[in-house]
């Protein structure tokens, strides 16, 4: 009985993976209909990373300020606890 349950679980898992592969082209097509949203998302991500990793003032955006705040918090933690 245990073998049957294990085999059935494998079949269900494989079917779930195939379903995700079929849904992926639809997600890509939906994203390509709105390229301006992709551009805004990549700019926000770039500002956050620049604020978190680059020395000096952060970019003048909410994402840049957030990245700078994370960097400041991590620096404080390293100074305080030495890790």
């Amino acid at each position: 009985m245990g073998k049957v349950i294990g085999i059935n679980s494998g079949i269900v898992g494989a079917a779930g993976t195939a379903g995700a592969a079929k849904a992926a082209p639809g997600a890509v097509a939906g994203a390509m209909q709105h390229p301006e949203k992709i551009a805004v998302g990549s700019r926000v991500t770039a500002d956050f990373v620049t604020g978190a990793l680059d020395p000096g003032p952060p970019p003048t955006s909410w994402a840049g300020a957030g990245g700078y705040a994370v960097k400041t918090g991590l620096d404080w933690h390293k100074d305080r606890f030495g890790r």
Side-chain angles (χ1 to χ4, degrees), residues 21-38:
K22 289 179 184 176
V28 171
M32 296 312 292
Q33 290 177 356
H34 303 287
E36 69 279 358
K37 291 183 180 179
I38 294 172

Side-chain angles (χ1 to χ4, degrees), residues 27-54:
V28 171
M32 296 312 292
Q33 290 177 356
H34 303 287
E36 69 279 358
K37 291 183 180 179
I38 294 172
V40 169
S42 62
R43 182 185 55 80
V44 169
T45 303
D47 284 353
F48 181 85
V49 170
T50 301
L53 299 179
D54 287 349

